[in-house]
Amino acid sequence: MKKLKVFISSVQTEFARERENLFDYLHSDPLLGLFFEPFLFEKLPATDQRADAVYLNEVAQCDIYLGLFGAKYGFEDAEGISPTEREFDEATRLHKTRLIYVLGESGLQRHAKMDQLIQKVGIDLVRKRFNSGDDLNSGVYASLVNY
């Protein structure tokens, strides 16, 4: 049986620990590990390709886009769009299953563009809030079992 690929997306500097923990959790969980293969961009070796081409290709190859949205928006390209938003938009364009987890309550101070992204996501999807790594893991577990 082929495992479903889960693309874990976020501003890397904001959620480095959570991303790594979630990656390890999905690999080590006896149930989830049977059905899902997590993907983290930072696990790739060096390659002679542009980073944006690589992450958009990985979104195209995934079955599930899992977005972690927090306070930071991240690096902006020449058009003012972050990789996280580009990845979400590509997953949307390709009709991928999108699971979005938002850090903290709505009163959290966020970058204005991250607020806009969260609002954009909320038009189409049910989001789940989390406040800790344990919240995140249990939420992702429930979403993937439901999937």
Side-chain angles (χ1 to χ4, degrees):
M1 174 177 55
K2 176 187 172 280
K3 290 185 180 184
L4 299 172
K5 187 173 187 176
V6 179
F7 183 97
I8 302 171
S9 174
S10 75
V11 175
Q12 290 179 357
T13 57
E14 184 172 16
F15 291 115
R17 185 173 33 116
E18 290 85 354
R19 290 163 56 87
E20 187 68 36
N21 288 343
L22 187 55
F23 180 89
D24 292 342
Y25 175 69
L26 294 177
H27 262 293
S28 65
D29 183 82
L31 176 62
L32 298 181
L34 292 174
F35 299 100
F36 301 101
E37 182 65 39
F39 170 81
L40 285 178
F41 184 81
E42 54 269 32
K43 297 281 186 190
L44 290 176
T47 183
D48 185 28
Q49 297 178 8
R50 288 175 44 113
D52 57 349
V54 171
Y55 64 69
L56 292 177
N57 182 55
E58 291 294 335
V59 169
Q61 293 179 36
C62 80
D63 299 289
I64 299 169
Y65 169 87
L66 197 156
L68 308 179
F69 296 175
K72 298 178 181 178
Y73 184 69
F75 166 80
E76 296 180 34
D77 62 19
E79 297 174 11
I81 307 295
S82 73
T84 303
E85 187 162 1
R86 292 261 183 233
E87 292 162 357
F88 174 79
D89 290 344
E90 185 71 356
T92 300
R93 186 182 74 77
L94 296 172
H95 306 287
K96 302 293 181 173
T97 296
R98 298 158 299 159
L99 306 173
I100 305 300
Y101 290 84
V102 179
L103 176 65
E105 298 305 318
S106 58
L108 180 69
Q109 287 284 29
R110 298 182 202 280
H111 187 283
K113 287 188 176 182
M114 180 52 76
D115 266 336
Q116 291 170 352
L117 177 56
I118 291 169
Q119 289 173 13
K120 176 168 83 171
V121 167
I123 292 169
D124 294 330
L125 306 173
V126 174
R127 303 160 298 190
K128 177 76 174 165
R129 294 200 181 271
F130 71 98
N131 291 306
S132 69
D134 288 339
D135 284 351
L136 178 60
N137 287 354
S138 64
V140 169
Y141 185 90
S143 291
L144 293 178
V145 167
N146 184 56
Y147 177 85

